[in-house]
Short mmCIF file of all heavy atoms in Angstrom, two decimals:
data_model
loop_
_atom_site.label_atom_id
_atom_site.label_comp_id
_atom_site.label_asym_id
_atom_site.label_seq_id
_atom_site.Cartn_x
_atom_site.Cartn_y
_atom_site.Cartn_z
N MET K 61 0.84 -1.18 0.00
CA MET K 61 0.00 0.00 0.00
C MET K 61 0.89 1.25 0.00
O MET K 61 1.85 1.34 0.75
CB MET K 61 -0.90 -0.02 1.23
CG MET K 61 -1.90 1.07 1.24
SD MET K 61 -3.10 0.76 2.54
CE MET K 61 -3.30 2.38 3.15
N ASN K 62 0.53 2.21 -0.81
CA ASN K 62 1.29 3.44 -0.91
C ASN K 62 0.79 4.43 0.14
O ASN K 62 -0.29 5.01 0.02
CB ASN K 62 1.13 4.02 -2.32
CG ASN K 62 2.02 5.22 -2.54
OD1 ASN K 62 2.80 5.59 -1.68
ND2 ASN K 62 1.89 5.82 -3.69
N LEU K 63 1.56 4.63 1.20
CA LEU K 63 1.15 5.52 2.28
C LEU K 63 1.40 6.98 1.98
O LEU K 63 0.87 7.86 2.66
CB LEU K 63 1.88 5.14 3.57
CG LEU K 63 1.51 3.79 4.17
CD1 LEU K 63 2.35 3.50 5.40
CD2 LEU K 63 0.04 3.75 4.53
N LEU K 64 2.20 7.26 0.97
CA LEU K 64 2.53 8.64 0.66
C LEU K 64 1.30 9.42 0.18
O LEU K 64 1.12 10.58 0.54
CB LEU K 64 3.63 8.69 -0.40
CG LEU K 64 4.17 10.07 -0.76
CD1 LEU K 64 4.76 10.74 0.47
CD2 LEU K 64 5.19 9.97 -1.85
N ARG K 65 0.43 8.78 -0.59
CA ARG K 65 -0.73 9.47 -1.14
C ARG K 65 -1.69 9.98 -0.06
O ARG K 65 -2.08 11.14 -0.08
CB ARG K 65 -1.44 8.56 -2.13
CG ARG K 65 -2.50 9.26 -2.90
CD ARG K 65 -3.03 8.41 -4.01
NE ARG K 65 -3.97 9.16 -4.81
CZ ARG K 65 -4.27 8.90 -6.03
NH1 ARG K 65 -3.72 7.88 -6.63
NH2 ARG K 65 -5.13 9.63 -6.68
N PRO K 66 -2.10 9.15 0.93
CA PRO K 66 -2.99 9.68 1.97
C PRO K 66 -2.32 10.75 2.84
O PRO K 66 -2.96 11.71 3.27
CB PRO K 66 -3.38 8.48 2.82
CG PRO K 66 -2.86 7.28 2.14
CD PRO K 66 -1.95 7.71 1.05
N ILE K 67 -1.01 10.59 3.07
CA ILE K 67 -0.31 11.59 3.87
C ILE K 67 -0.27 12.92 3.13
O ILE K 67 -0.52 13.98 3.72
CB ILE K 67 1.11 11.10 4.21
CG1 ILE K 67 1.02 9.93 5.19
CG2 ILE K 67 1.95 12.22 4.79
CD1 ILE K 67 2.33 9.22 5.44
N LEU K 68 0.02 12.89 1.84
CA LEU K 68 0.02 14.12 1.05
C LEU K 68 -1.38 14.72 0.97
O LEU K 68 -1.54 15.95 0.96
CB LEU K 68 0.57 13.86 -0.34
CG LEU K 68 2.08 13.63 -0.43
CD1 LEU K 68 2.49 13.30 -1.86
CD2 LEU K 68 2.85 14.83 0.08
N GLY K 69 -2.40 13.87 0.91
CA GLY K 69 -3.77 14.37 0.90
C GLY K 69 -4.13 15.10 2.17
O GLY K 69 -4.73 16.18 2.14
N MET K 70 -3.76 14.53 3.31
CA MET K 70 -4.03 15.19 4.59
C MET K 70 -3.23 16.48 4.73
O MET K 70 -3.74 17.48 5.24
CB MET K 70 -3.73 14.25 5.75
CG MET K 70 -4.73 13.11 5.86
SD MET K 70 -4.58 12.11 7.34
CE MET K 70 -2.87 11.61 7.33
N LEU K 71 -2.00 16.46 4.27
CA LEU K 71 -1.17 17.67 4.30
C LEU K 71 -1.78 18.76 3.42
O LEU K 71 -1.84 19.92 3.81
CB LEU K 71 0.25 17.34 3.84
CG LEU K 71 1.25 18.49 3.85
CD1 LEU K 71 1.46 19.00 5.26
CD2 LEU K 71 2.57 18.04 3.25
N GLY K 72 -2.26 18.37 2.23
CA GLY K 72 -2.91 19.33 1.34
C GLY K 72 -4.16 19.94 1.95
O GLY K 72 -4.41 21.14 1.82
N LEU K 73 -4.96 19.10 2.62
CA LEU K 73 -6.15 19.62 3.29
C LEU K 73 -5.79 20.60 4.40
O LEU K 73 -6.42 21.65 4.54
CB LEU K 73 -6.98 18.47 3.88
CG LEU K 73 -7.90 17.76 2.92
CD1 LEU K 73 -8.52 16.54 3.60
CD2 LEU K 73 -8.99 18.68 2.42
N ALA K 74 -4.78 20.27 5.18
CA ALA K 74 -4.36 21.15 6.26
C ALA K 74 -3.87 22.49 5.71
O ALA K 74 -4.22 23.55 6.23
CB ALA K 74 -3.27 20.50 7.09
N ILE K 75 -3.09 22.45 4.64
CA ILE K 75 -2.61 23.68 4.02
C ILE K 75 -3.77 24.49 3.45
O ILE K 75 -3.85 25.71 3.62
CB ILE K 75 -1.56 23.37 2.93
CG1 ILE K 75 -0.28 22.84 3.58
CG2 ILE K 75 -1.27 24.60 2.08
CD1 ILE K 75 0.72 22.28 2.59
N GLY K 76 -4.71 23.80 2.79
CA GLY K 76 -5.87 24.49 2.22
C GLY K 76 -6.73 25.17 3.26
O GLY K 76 -7.13 26.32 3.09
N PHE K 77 -7.01 24.48 4.37
CA PHE K 77 -7.80 25.09 5.44
C PHE K 77 -7.04 26.25 6.07
O PHE K 77 -7.64 27.26 6.45
CB PHE K 77 -8.19 24.06 6.50
CG PHE K 77 -9.35 23.21 6.10
CD1 PHE K 77 -9.21 21.84 5.98
CD2 PHE K 77 -10.59 23.77 5.85
CE1 PHE K 77 -10.29 21.04 5.62
CE2 PHE K 77 -11.67 22.99 5.48
CZ PHE K 77 -11.51 21.61 5.36
N GLY K 78 -5.72 26.11 6.19
CA GLY K 78 -4.92 27.21 6.74
C GLY K 78 -4.95 28.43 5.86
O GLY K 78 -5.09 29.57 6.34
N LEU K 79 -4.81 28.23 4.55
CA LEU K 79 -4.87 29.36 3.62
C LEU K 79 -6.25 30.02 3.60
O LEU K 79 -6.36 31.24 3.52
CB LEU K 79 -4.50 28.90 2.20
CG LEU K 79 -3.03 28.57 1.96
CD1 LEU K 79 -2.85 27.97 0.57
CD2 LEU K 79 -2.16 29.80 2.15
N TYR K 80 -7.29 29.19 3.69
CA TYR K 80 -8.66 29.71 3.72
C TYR K 80 -8.86 30.59 4.96
O TYR K 80 -9.41 31.69 4.87
CB TYR K 80 -9.65 28.54 3.70
CG TYR K 80 -11.08 28.95 3.47
CD1 TYR K 80 -11.58 29.03 2.18
CD2 TYR K 80 -11.93 29.23 4.52
CE1 TYR K 80 -12.90 29.39 1.95
CE2 TYR K 80 -13.24 29.60 4.31
CZ TYR K 80 -13.72 29.66 3.02
OH TYR K 80 -15.01 30.03 2.80
N ALA K 81 -8.40 30.11 6.10
CA ALA K 81 -8.54 30.89 7.34
C ALA K 81 -7.72 32.16 7.28
O ALA K 81 -8.16 33.23 7.74
CB ALA K 81 -8.12 30.04 8.54
N ALA K 82 -6.53 32.08 6.71
CA ALA K 82 -5.68 33.27 6.60
C ALA K 82 -6.31 34.32 5.67
O ALA K 82 -6.25 35.52 5.94
CB ALA K 82 -4.30 32.89 6.10
N ALA K 83 -6.93 33.86 4.58
CA ALA K 83 -7.56 34.79 3.64
C ALA K 83 -8.76 35.47 4.26
O ALA K 83 -9.05 36.64 3.95
CB ALA K 83 -7.97 34.06 2.37
N ASN K 84 -9.47 34.78 5.15
CA ASN K 84 -10.65 35.38 5.79
C ASN K 84 -10.30 36.51 6.74
O ASN K 84 -11.15 37.31 7.10
CB ASN K 84 -11.45 34.32 6.53
CG ASN K 84 -12.51 33.70 5.66
OD1 ASN K 84 -13.03 34.34 4.76
ND2 ASN K 84 -12.83 32.45 5.93
N ARG K 85 -9.06 36.60 7.16
CA ARG K 85 -8.65 37.66 8.09
C ARG K 85 -8.58 39.03 7.43
O ARG K 85 -8.55 40.04 8.12
CB ARG K 85 -7.30 37.32 8.69
CG ARG K 85 -7.34 36.14 9.59
CD ARG K 85 -6.02 35.88 10.22
NE ARG K 85 -6.11 34.67 11.03
CZ ARG K 85 -5.09 34.07 11.57
NH1 ARG K 85 -3.88 34.56 11.39
NH2 ARG K 85 -5.26 32.99 12.29
N TYR K 86 -8.55 39.08 6.11
CA TYR K 86 -8.40 40.36 5.42
C TYR K 86 -9.69 41.13 5.32
O TYR K 86 -9.68 42.31 4.99
CB TYR K 86 -7.81 40.15 4.02
CG TYR K 86 -6.35 39.82 4.05
CD1 TYR K 86 -5.92 38.51 3.90
CD2 TYR K 86 -5.40 40.81 4.23
CE1 TYR K 86 -4.57 38.20 3.94
CE2 TYR K 86 -4.05 40.52 4.28
CZ TYR K 86 -3.64 39.20 4.13
OH TYR K 86 -2.32 38.90 4.18
N GLY K 87 -10.83 40.50 5.54
CA GLY K 87 -12.11 41.20 5.44
C GLY K 87 -12.56 41.31 3.98
O GLY K 87 -11.81 41.06 3.05
N GLU K 88 -13.80 41.67 3.83
CA GLU K 88 -14.37 41.79 2.49
C GLU K 88 -13.97 43.10 1.86
O GLU K 88 -13.81 44.09 2.57
CB GLU K 88 -15.89 41.68 2.56
CG GLU K 88 -16.38 40.30 2.95
CD GLU K 88 -15.98 39.21 1.98
OE1 GLU K 88 -15.89 39.50 0.77
OE2 GLU K 88 -15.76 38.09 2.42
N PRO K 89 -13.81 43.22 0.59
CA PRO K 89 -13.93 42.24 -0.48
C PRO K 89 -12.63 41.47 -0.76
O PRO K 89 -12.60 40.58 -1.58
CB PRO K 89 -14.31 43.08 -1.70
CG PRO K 89 -13.59 44.37 -1.47
CD PRO K 89 -13.62 44.57 0.04
N THR K 90 -11.55 41.81 -0.05
CA THR K 90 -10.27 41.17 -0.31
C THR K 90 -10.33 39.67 -0.05
O THR K 90 -9.77 38.88 -0.81
CB THR K 90 -9.17 41.81 0.55
OG1 THR K 90 -9.18 43.21 0.33
CG2 THR K 90 -7.82 41.27 0.20
N ALA K 91 -11.03 39.26 1.01
CA ALA K 91 -11.13 37.84 1.33
C ALA K 91 -11.79 37.06 0.20
O ALA K 91 -11.34 35.98 -0.18
CB ALA K 91 -11.89 37.64 2.63
N SER K 92 -12.88 37.59 -0.35
CA SER K 92 -13.57 36.91 -1.45
C SER K 92 -12.68 36.80 -2.68
O SER K 92 -12.68 35.79 -3.38
CB SER K 92 -14.86 37.63 -1.82
OG SER K 92 -15.82 37.42 -0.83
N LEU K 93 -11.90 37.85 -2.95
CA LEU K 93 -10.99 37.80 -4.08
C LEU K 93 -9.90 36.75 -3.88
O LEU K 93 -9.60 35.97 -4.80
CB LEU K 93 -10.36 39.17 -4.32
CG LEU K 93 -11.28 40.25 -4.86
CD1 LEU K 93 -10.57 41.60 -4.85
CD2 LEU K 93 -11.74 39.90 -6.25
N LEU K 94 -9.32 36.71 -2.70
CA LEU K 94 -8.26 35.74 -2.43
C LEU K 94 -8.77 34.30 -2.45
O LEU K 94 -8.15 33.41 -3.03
CB LEU K 94 -7.60 36.04 -1.08
CG LEU K 94 -6.74 37.29 -1.01
CD1 LEU K 94 -6.30 37.55 0.42
CD2 LEU K 94 -5.55 37.17 -1.94
N ILE K 95 -9.92 34.07 -1.82
CA ILE K 95 -10.49 32.73 -1.79
C ILE K 95 -10.92 32.31 -3.19
O ILE K 95 -10.69 31.17 -3.61
CB ILE K 95 -11.66 32.66 -0.80
CG1 ILE K 95 -11.12 32.85 0.63
CG2 ILE K 95 -12.42 31.35 -0.92
CD1 ILE K 95 -12.19 33.06 1.67
N GLY K 96 -11.52 33.22 -3.94
CA GLY K 96 -11.89 32.92 -5.32
C GLY K 96 -10.68 32.58 -6.16
O GLY K 96 -10.70 31.64 -6.97
N LEU K 97 -9.61 33.32 -5.98
CA LEU K 97 -8.38 33.05 -6.71
C LEU K 97 -7.81 31.69 -6.35
O LEU K 97 -7.32 30.96 -7.23
CB LEU K 97 -7.36 34.15 -6.42
CG LEU K 97 -6.05 34.09 -7.21
CD1 LEU K 97 -6.33 34.21 -8.70
CD2 LEU K 97 -5.12 35.20 -6.75
N MET K 98 -7.90 31.30 -5.08
CA MET K 98 -7.43 29.97 -4.68
C MET K 98 -8.25 28.87 -5.36
O MET K 98 -7.70 27.86 -5.80
CB MET K 98 -7.50 29.81 -3.17
CG MET K 98 -6.39 30.53 -2.44
SD MET K 98 -6.30 30.14 -0.69
CE MET K 98 -7.60 31.17 -0.04
N PHE K 99 -9.57 29.05 -5.46
CA PHE K 99 -10.41 28.06 -6.11
C PHE K 99 -10.13 27.99 -7.60
O PHE K 99 -10.12 26.91 -8.19
CB PHE K 99 -11.90 28.34 -5.85
CG PHE K 99 -12.41 27.72 -4.59
CD1 PHE K 99 -12.59 28.50 -3.46
CD2 PHE K 99 -12.72 26.39 -4.53
CE1 PHE K 99 -13.06 27.95 -2.29
CE2 PHE K 99 -13.20 25.81 -3.37
CZ PHE K 99 -13.36 26.60 -2.24
N VAL K 100 -9.90 29.13 -8.23
CA VAL K 100 -9.55 29.13 -9.66
C VAL K 100 -8.24 28.39 -9.87
O VAL K 100 -8.13 27.55 -10.77
CB VAL K 100 -9.48 30.58 -10.20
CG1 VAL K 100 -8.85 30.61 -11.58
CG2 VAL K 100 -10.86 31.20 -10.24
N LEU K 101 -7.26 28.68 -9.06
CA LEU K 101 -5.97 28.01 -9.17
C LEU K 101 -6.10 26.51 -8.93
O LEU K 101 -5.53 25.70 -9.67
CB LEU K 101 -4.97 28.63 -8.20
CG LEU K 101 -3.55 28.07 -8.23
CD1 LEU K 101 -2.92 28.30 -9.60
CD2 LEU K 101 -2.72 28.72 -7.15
N LEU K 102 -6.86 26.13 -7.93
CA LEU K 102 -7.09 24.71 -7.65
C LEU K 102 -7.78 24.03 -8.82
O LEU K 102 -7.43 22.90 -9.20
CB LEU K 102 -7.91 24.55 -6.37
CG LEU K 102 -8.20 23.13 -5.92
CD1 LEU K 102 -6.90 22.39 -5.61
CD2 LEU K 102 -9.11 23.14 -4.72
N GLY K 103 -8.77 24.69 -9.41
CA GLY K 103 -9.47 24.12 -10.56
C GLY K 103 -8.56 23.94 -11.76
O GLY K 103 -8.60 22.92 -12.44
N ILE K 104 -7.73 24.94 -12.03
CA ILE K 104 -6.79 24.85 -13.16
C ILE K 104 -5.79 23.73 -12.93
O ILE K 104 -5.51 22.94 -13.84
CB ILE K 104 -6.09 26.20 -13.38
CG1 ILE K 104 -7.09 27.23 -13.91
CG2 ILE K 104 -4.90 26.06 -14.32
CD1 ILE K 104 -6.55 28.64 -13.93
N LEU K 105 -5.26 23.64 -11.71
CA LEU K 105 -4.31 22.57 -11.41
C LEU K 105 -4.95 21.19 -11.48
O LEU K 105 -4.33 20.23 -11.96
CB LEU K 105 -3.68 22.79 -10.03
CG LEU K 105 -2.70 23.95 -9.94
CD1 LEU K 105 -2.27 24.16 -8.50
CD2 LEU K 105 -1.51 23.72 -10.83
N ALA K 106 -6.20 21.06 -11.02
CA ALA K 106 -6.90 19.78 -11.11
C ALA K 106 -7.14 19.40 -12.56
O ALA K 106 -6.97 18.24 -12.95
CB ALA K 106 -8.23 19.84 -10.35
N PHE K 107 -7.53 20.36 -13.37
CA PHE K 107 -7.75 20.10 -14.80
C PHE K 107 -6.46 19.66 -15.48
O PHE K 107 -6.43 18.72 -16.26
CB PHE K 107 -8.31 21.35 -15.48
CG PHE K 107 -8.79 21.10 -16.88
CD1 PHE K 107 -10.08 20.66 -17.11
CD2 PHE K 107 -7.95 21.30 -17.96
CE1 PHE K 107 -10.52 20.43 -18.39
CE2 PHE K 107 -8.37 21.06 -19.24
CZ PHE K 107 -9.67 20.63 -19.46
N TRP K 108 -5.36 20.33 -15.15
CA TRP K 108 -4.07 20.00 -15.74
C TRP K 108 -3.58 18.64 -15.26
O TRP K 108 -3.05 17.85 -16.03
CB TRP K 108 -3.06 21.09 -15.38
CG TRP K 108 -1.67 20.77 -15.80
CD1 TRP K 108 -1.18 20.76 -17.06
CD2 TRP K 108 -0.59 20.41 -14.95
NE1 TRP K 108 0.15 20.42 -17.04
CE2 TRP K 108 0.54 20.20 -15.75
CE3 TRP K 108 -0.46 20.26 -13.57
CZ2 TRP K 108 1.76 19.83 -15.23
CZ3 TRP K 108 0.75 19.90 -13.06
CH2 TRP K 108 1.85 19.69 -13.88
N TYR K 109 -3.78 18.33 -13.99
CA TYR K 109 -3.32 17.08 -13.41
C TYR K 109 -4.09 15.89 -13.95
O TYR K 109 -3.54 14.79 -14.06
CB TYR K 109 -3.44 17.14 -11.89
CG TYR K 109 -3.09 15.86 -11.18
CD1 TYR K 109 -1.77 15.49 -11.02
CD2 TYR K 109 -4.08 15.03 -10.69
CE1 TYR K 109 -1.43 14.32 -10.38
CE2 TYR K 109 -3.76 13.85 -10.04
CZ TYR K 109 -2.44 13.50 -9.89
OH TYR K 109 -2.12 12.33 -9.26
N ALA K 110 -5.35 16.07 -14.30
CA ALA K 110 -6.23 14.96 -14.69
C ALA K 110 -5.72 14.21 -15.92
O ALA K 110 -5.75 12.99 -15.95
CB ALA K 110 -7.64 15.47 -14.94
N GLN K 111 -5.29 14.88 -16.94
CA GLN K 111 -4.75 14.28 -18.16
C GLN K 111 -5.56 13.07 -18.64
O GLN K 111 -5.08 11.95 -18.64
CB GLN K 111 -3.29 13.89 -17.95
CG GLN K 111 -2.40 15.06 -17.68
CD GLN K 111 -0.95 14.67 -17.46
OE1 GLN K 111 -0.60 13.52 -17.56
NE2 GLN K 111 -0.12 15.65 -17.17
N GLY K 112 -6.79 13.30 -19.02
CA GLY K 112 -7.62 12.24 -19.57
C GLY K 112 -8.70 11.75 -18.63
O GLY K 112 -9.64 11.08 -19.07
N GLU K 113 -8.61 12.01 -17.35
CA GLU K 113 -9.66 11.64 -16.40
C GLU K 113 -10.77 12.68 -16.51
O GLU K 113 -10.68 13.75 -15.94
CB GLU K 113 -9.11 11.59 -14.97
CG GLU K 113 -8.10 10.52 -14.74
CD GLU K 113 -8.73 9.17 -14.47
OE1 GLU K 113 -9.93 9.13 -14.12
OE2 GLU K 113 -8.02 8.18 -14.63
N ARG K 114 -11.80 12.35 -17.24
CA ARG K 114 -12.84 13.33 -17.57
C ARG K 114 -13.53 13.88 -16.33
O ARG K 114 -13.80 15.07 -16.24
CB ARG K 114 -13.86 12.69 -18.51
CG ARG K 114 -14.90 13.64 -19.04
CD ARG K 114 -14.35 14.76 -19.87
NE ARG K 114 -13.80 14.25 -21.10
CZ ARG K 114 -13.01 14.93 -21.90
NH1 ARG K 114 -12.70 16.17 -21.59
NH2 ARG K 114 -12.53 14.43 -22.98
N TRP K 115 -13.82 13.03 -15.34
CA TRP K 115 -14.56 13.51 -14.18
C TRP K 115 -13.72 14.47 -13.35
O TRP K 115 -14.25 15.40 -12.74
CB TRP K 115 -15.09 12.36 -13.34
CG TRP K 115 -14.06 11.62 -12.53
CD1 TRP K 115 -13.28 10.58 -12.94
CD2 TRP K 115 -13.69 11.89 -11.18
NE1 TRP K 115 -12.45 10.19 -11.93
CE2 TRP K 115 -12.68 10.97 -10.84
CE3 TRP K 115 -14.10 12.83 -10.24
CZ2 TRP K 115 -12.09 10.96 -9.59
CZ3 TRP K 115 -13.51 12.81 -8.99
CH2 TRP K 115 -12.52 11.88 -8.68
N ILE K 116 -12.41 14.28 -13.31
CA ILE K 116 -11.55 15.21 -12.59
C ILE K 116 -11.46 16.53 -13.35
O ILE K 116 -11.42 17.61 -12.76
CB ILE K 116 -10.15 14.61 -12.33
CG1 ILE K 116 -10.27 13.37 -11.46
CG2 ILE K 116 -9.24 15.64 -11.67
CD1 ILE K 116 -8.96 12.65 -11.23
N GLN K 117 -11.45 16.45 -14.68
CA GLN K 117 -11.44 17.68 -15.47
C GLN K 117 -12.73 18.47 -15.28
O GLN K 117 -12.69 19.69 -15.19
CB GLN K 117 -11.22 17.35 -16.94
CG GLN K 117 -9.80 16.90 -17.24
CD GLN K 117 -9.59 16.56 -18.69
OE1 GLN K 117 -10.49 16.10 -19.38
NE2 GLN K 117 -8.38 16.77 -19.16
N VAL K 118 -13.85 17.76 -15.19
CA VAL K 118 -15.13 18.45 -14.93
C VAL K 118 -15.10 19.07 -13.54
O VAL K 118 -15.53 20.22 -13.36
CB VAL K 118 -16.31 17.46 -15.08
CG1 VAL K 118 -17.61 18.08 -14.56
CG2 VAL K 118 -16.47 17.03 -16.53
N LEU K 119 -14.59 18.35 -12.55
CA LEU K 119 -14.47 18.90 -11.21
C LEU K 119 -13.57 20.12 -11.19
O LEU K 119 -13.89 21.13 -10.55
CB LEU K 119 -13.93 17.84 -10.25
CG LEU K 119 -13.70 18.26 -8.81
CD1 LEU K 119 -15.01 18.66 -8.15
CD2 LEU K 119 -13.03 17.16 -8.04
N GLY K 120 -12.47 20.07 -11.91
CA GLY K 120 -11.59 21.23 -12.01
C GLY K 120 -12.29 22.43 -12.63
O GLY K 120 -12.12 23.56 -12.19
N GLY K 121 -13.09 22.18 -13.66
CA GLY K 121 -13.86 23.26 -14.28
C GLY K 121 -14.88 23.86 -13.33
O GLY K 121 -15.06 25.08 -13.28
N VAL K 122 -15.53 23.00 -12.55
CA VAL K 122 -16.52 23.49 -11.58
C VAL K 122 -15.82 24.32 -10.49
O VAL K 122 -16.33 25.38 -10.09
CB VAL K 122 -17.31 22.31 -10.96
CG1 VAL K 122 -18.12 22.74 -9.77
CG2 VAL K 122 -18.19 21.66 -12.01
N LEU K 123 -14.67 23.86 -10.02
CA LEU K 123 -13.93 24.62 -9.01
C LEU K 123 -13.50 25.98 -9.55
O LEU K 123 -13.61 27.00 -8.86
CB LEU K 123 -12.71 23.84 -8.54
CG LEU K 123 -12.98 22.63 -7.65
CD1 LEU K 123 -11.71 21.82 -7.47
CD2 LEU K 123 -13.54 23.06 -6.32
N ALA K 124 -13.00 26.01 -10.78
CA ALA K 124 -12.58 27.28 -11.38
C ALA K 124 -13.77 28.21 -11.58
O ALA K 124 -13.68 29.42 -11.31
CB ALA K 124 -11.87 27.02 -12.71
N LEU K 125 -14.90 27.67 -12.02
CA LEU K 125 -16.10 28.49 -12.19
C LEU K 125 -16.59 29.04 -10.86
O LEU K 125 -16.94 30.22 -10.75
CB LEU K 125 -17.21 27.66 -12.86
CG LEU K 125 -18.53 28.36 -13.09
CD1 LEU K 125 -18.34 29.53 -14.07
CD2 LEU K 125 -19.56 27.39 -13.62
N TYR K 126 -16.58 28.21 -9.82
CA TYR K 126 -16.96 28.69 -8.49
C TYR K 126 -16.02 29.80 -8.03
O TYR K 126 -16.47 30.79 -7.45
CB TYR K 126 -16.97 27.55 -7.47
CG TYR K 126 -17.20 28.04 -6.07
CD1 TYR K 126 -18.46 28.46 -5.67
CD2 TYR K 126 -16.16 28.14 -5.16
CE1 TYR K 126 -18.68 28.95 -4.39
CE2 TYR K 126 -16.36 28.63 -3.88
CZ TYR K 126 -17.63 29.02 -3.50
OH TYR K 126 -17.83 29.51 -2.24
N GLY K 127 -14.74 29.64 -8.29
CA GLY K 127 -13.78 30.68 -7.91
C GLY K 127 -14.07 31.99 -8.61
O GLY K 127 -14.00 33.06 -7.99
N LEU K 128 -14.38 31.92 -9.90
CA LEU K 128 -14.72 33.15 -10.63
C LEU K 128 -15.99 33.79 -10.08
O LEU K 128 -16.07 35.02 -9.94
CB LEU K 128 -14.88 32.84 -12.11
CG LEU K 128 -13.59 32.52 -12.88
CD1 LEU K 128 -13.92 32.07 -14.30
CD2 LEU K 128 -12.66 33.71 -12.88
N LEU K 129 -16.98 32.95 -9.78
CA LEU K 129 -18.22 33.49 -9.20
C LEU K 129 -17.97 34.07 -7.82
O LEU K 129 -18.54 35.09 -7.45
CB LEU K 129 -19.28 32.39 -9.13
CG LEU K 129 -19.88 31.96 -10.45
CD1 LEU K 129 -20.81 30.76 -10.26
CD2 LEU K 129 -20.62 33.10 -11.11
N ARG K 130 -17.12 33.42 -7.05
CA ARG K 130 -16.80 33.91 -5.71
C ARG K 130 -16.13 35.27 -5.77
O ARG K 130 -16.36 36.13 -4.92
CB ARG K 130 -15.91 32.89 -5.01
CG ARG K 130 -15.39 33.28 -3.65
CD ARG K 130 -16.44 33.10 -2.61
NE ARG K 130 -16.02 33.65 -1.34
CZ ARG K 130 -15.94 32.98 -0.21
NH1 ARG K 130 -16.26 31.71 -0.20
NH2 ARG K 130 -15.57 33.57 0.88
N MET K 131 -15.28 35.48 -6.77
CA MET K 131 -14.59 36.75 -6.89
C MET K 131 -15.50 37.88 -7.38
O MET K 131 -15.25 39.04 -7.10
CB MET K 131 -13.40 36.62 -7.85
CG MET K 131 -12.27 35.83 -7.29
SD MET K 131 -10.76 35.89 -8.27
CE MET K 131 -11.26 35.26 -9.84
N THR K 132 -16.56 37.54 -8.10
CA THR K 132 -17.38 38.58 -8.72
C THR K 132 -18.77 38.72 -8.09
O THR K 132 -19.16 39.81 -7.69
CB THR K 132 -17.54 38.31 -10.23
OG1 THR K 132 -18.10 37.01 -10.42
CG2 THR K 132 -16.20 38.40 -10.93
N VAL K 133 -19.52 37.64 -8.02
CA VAL K 133 -20.94 37.72 -7.65
C VAL K 133 -21.20 37.32 -6.20
O VAL K 133 -21.96 37.98 -5.50
CB VAL K 133 -21.78 36.82 -8.59
CG1 VAL K 133 -23.24 36.87 -8.22
CG2 VAL K 133 -21.57 37.24 -10.03
N LEU K 134 -20.58 36.25 -5.75
CA LEU K 134 -20.88 35.69 -4.43
C LEU K 134 -20.03 36.33 -3.34
O LEU K 134 -19.05 35.78 -2.88
CB LEU K 134 -20.64 34.17 -4.44
CG LEU K 134 -21.38 33.37 -5.49
CD1 LEU K 134 -20.93 31.93 -5.48
CD2 LEU K 134 -22.87 33.46 -5.27
N ASN K 135 -20.42 37.49 -2.90
CA ASN K 135 -19.66 38.18 -1.84
C ASN K 135 -20.26 37.92 -0.51
O ASN K 135 -21.30 38.10 -0.17
CB ASN K 135 -19.56 39.68 -2.10
CG ASN K 135 -18.67 39.96 -3.29
OD1 ASN K 135 -17.84 39.16 -3.64
ND2 ASN K 135 -18.86 41.12 -3.88
#
């Protein structure tokens, strides 16, 4: 069993929650812009990482779209 993958997953979650909490400290509208930008970046990276996995590419697109909406409409 490859233990590196779950460990990296937990580390990624911890980093993501930490960045989310840090971005919320800036107040609106800066927090929404930073969080939206993080979701866009995550979506782009997921789409790029998928390389043929259609459902991951769709998930990446949804994350990027949510990030764009978060930066513009969902304040």
Side-chain angles (χ1 to χ4, degrees):
M61 186 169 140
N62 187 4
L63 293 177
L64 185 60
R65 189 171 185 157
I67 291 171
L68 288 177
M70 289 189 306
L71 181 63
L73 278 173
I75 291 170
F77 280 119
L79 288 173
Y80 191 89
N84 269 330
R85 292 183 183 171
Y86 286 101
E88 292 299 328
T90 306
S92 288
L93 289 172
L94 290 173
I95 293 169
L97 185 61
M98 284 190 280
F99 273 102
V100 168
L101 182 62
L102 181 63
I104 290 170
L105 289 174
F107 190 87
W108 173 72
Y109 176 76
Q111 296 180 3
E113 294 278 342
R114 186 62 67 195
W115 74 273
I116 298 176
Q117 288 179 329
V118 169
L119 178 63
V122 169
L123 287 170
L125 179 64
Y126 173 74
L128 289 173
L129 289 174
R130 175 78 188 238
M131 288 190 301
T132 57
V133 179
L134 304 174
N135 290 337

